[in-house]
Amino acid sequence: MECRVLSIQSHVVRGYVGNKSASFPLQVNTICINVSPVLSAGYSHWKGQVLTADELHVLYEGIKLNNVHHYDYVLTGYTRDTSFLEMVVDIVQELKRANPNLVYVCDPVLGDHGSMYVPQNLYPVYKNKVVPVADIITPNQFEAELLTGKNISTEKDAVEVMDLLHAMGPDTVVITSSDLPSRLGDRFLVSLGSQRHVRPDGSRTTQRVRLEVPKVDAVFVGTGDLFAAMLLAWTHHYPTDLKTACEKTFSVMHHVIQRTISYAHELAGPGRRPSPPQLELRMVQSKADIEDPAIVTEATVIS
C-alpha cells in the first residue's frame, strides 16, 4: 500500500545523514516527499543554510498552495532550534486535522551517555509539545530517562519508562539502545519496544519486546536517521506487529552496518582504522537488504 511521507530533516551534499539517510530507504518502501534543509553534518566542519522556522513555514505554505499537503506520515530527527521544533509541531497538528490517521514518527534527539548535545532549551519543547503529538518515538536510554524523569536500571524500569512515554502520547516507543546487561554477553546491547493497541471493544492491550543487538566497534553518522525511517517503513507494513517490525528494522541496520564496515576496511587497507568518510553508510549497495532483510536479530516478547 502506497503512502506519502513528509520528512523534515537536515540534508547533506556528501554521505548519509538526516534526509540523505532516510529518503532512499523510504523510497524503496514508500513514496517519500522531502522538506530538506541543506546542512552538512558528520564532519568537523560544515557550510550551508540551516532552515529557520519562518523558512520552514514558507516551504510548507508552498506545499499547501500546490495542494500536495496530503500525507500519511511525518518524520523528524535532529534539530537545534526551539522555534523550528515548535513550527514542526504546528505543521503536524494541522496535517493531523486534515488526516486524523496521520502517523508522526519522531526521533527525539537530545543526547546520549549522560549528556545533552543539543541546547538545554529544546528539552521542555520535546517533553511538553513534541512527544504529546508523536505516535512513534525512538529515544535512546538517556533520552527516555530525560523525558520521563525516571532512571533505567532493570528491564522492569524500562517497561515503566515506556509506559510513562505512552501516557505522554505515543502509542509506539522503541528504546534504541540501553545499558542493560545482555543475556548474550557484553558483546551485545539491549533494545526494547512497546506498542499499545485499542481492541474493537475499546479496551487496550500492549505488546512489549526485547532485542539483543550486536555491538559494533566503529562510529557512524546517520544510523539514528536510518533507524527511524526503517521503523516507519516496517510499522507501515506491520502496523499491529511490533515484534516483526523491530526484527525487520534491526536486521536492516545490521546488514547496512556490516556492509559499511566491510567496505571501510577494504578502503582503509590492512591494519588501518577506517576514517569517517570511509565509514559513510553503504545505503545504495544495501538496497536488497532494505527491501527484504534476512532476519538476524530476533525479538523476544516480554510481559
Side-chain angles (χ1 to χ4, degrees):
M1 182 172 61
E2 202 172 86
C3 75
R4 294 169 66 85
V5 180
L6 177 64
S7 181
I8 306 174
Q9 302 192 67
S10 60
H11 187 78
V12 295
V13 296
R14 163 154 184 174
Y16 290 91
V17 70
N19 266 330
K20 283 287 291 291
S21 194
S23 298
F24 176 73
L26 285 173
Q27 287 165 336
V28 167
N29 286 278
T30 62
I31 292 178
C32 179
I33 310 298
N34 299 308
V35 175
S36 303
V38 179
L39 169 65
S40 294
Y43 292 95
S44 300
H45 308 282
W46 62 268
K47 298 289 185 180
Q49 298 299 313
V50 179
L51 208 67
T52 66
D54 289 341
E55 290 165 338
L56 175 61
H57 177 70
V58 169
L59 284 175
Y60 178 63
E61 288 300 311
I63 290 172
K64 288 199 295 181
L65 285 172
N66 286 288
N67 197 31
V68 289
H69 60 295
H70 308 289
Y71 292 100
D72 302 290
Y73 292 89
V74 175
L75 173 64
T76 64
Y78 176 81
T79 184
R80 295 183 60 85
D81 183 75
T82 55
S83 60
F84 187 92
L85 205 50
E86 289 168 342
M87 180 57 65
V88 167
V89 172
D90 291 343
I91 290 171
V92 169
Q93 290 174 326
E94 182 171 326
L95 290 173
K96 283 193 171 191
R97 286 193 291 271
N99 175 16
N101 294 319
L102 179 139
V103 174
Y104 173 28
V105 181
C106 172
D107 183 4
V109 182
L110 288 164
D112 202 359
H113 304 299
S115 62
M116 294 183 65
Y117 42 63
V118 298
Q120 295 271 351
N121 58 1
L122 262 70
Y123 161 67
V125 180
Y126 270 112
K127 181 175 181 178
N128 300 322
K129 296 183 178 182
V130 178
V131 173
V133 300
D135 300 282
I136 300 174
I137 59 172
T138 59
N140 57 39
Q141 177 175 328
F142 171 75
E143 292 159 344
E145 291 174 334
L146 192 62
L147 290 167
T148 60
K150 181 178 175 59
N151 292 332
I152 296 174
S153 300
T154 65
E155 186 178 284
K156 180 175 179 291
D157 292 337
V159 169
E160 291 175 358
V161 164
M162 291 189 290
D163 285 344
L164 288 171
L165 290 168
H166 284 319
M168 294 169 68
D171 283 332
T172 301
V173 177
V174 176
I175 299 176
T176 56
S177 61
S178 77
D179 298 325
L180 296 177
S182 169
R183 295 161 186 165
L184 300 180
D186 58 10
R187 296 175 64 185
F188 290 79
L189 61 80
V190 174
S191 299
L192 301 108
S194 180
Q195 186 176 59
R196 296 188 305 185
H197 304 288
V198 179
R199 295 190 180 100
D201 63 4
S203 62
R204 287 186 178 273
T205 182
T206 304
Q207 183 189 52
R208 301 186 182 95
V209 297
R210 173 185 174 119
L211 300 98
E212 318 284 332
V213 183
K215 293 180 181 178
V216 178
D217 183 23
V219 177
F220 305 92
V221 294
T223 49
D225 306 312
L226 174 60
F227 183 91
M230 286 290 85
L231 189 64
L232 184 161
W234 291 113
T235 53
H236 173 71
H237 294 301
Y238 300 94
T240 61
D241 185 358
L242 183 64
K243 180 179 185 295
T244 298
C246 282
E247 289 174 341
K248 295 276 191 179
T249 299
F250 279 96
S251 293
V252 168
M253 298 302 299
H254 172 86
H255 294 304
V256 172
I257 287 171
Q258 290 304 314
R259 182 169 289 105
T260 299
I261 291 172
S262 177
Y263 271 79
H265 282 295
E266 184 177 334
L267 289 170
R272 294 184 178 180
R273 193 170 183 85
S275 66
Q278 291 167 339
L279 286 168
E280 289 171 354
L281 297 177
R282 299 291 164 170
M283 205 75 73
V284 175
Q285 296 89 338
S286 302
K287 178 178 179 290
D289 292 315
I290 292 169
E291 291 176 306
D292 186 21
I295 301 302
V296 294
T297 305
E298 295 188 357
T300 302
V301 176
I302 59 177
S303 58

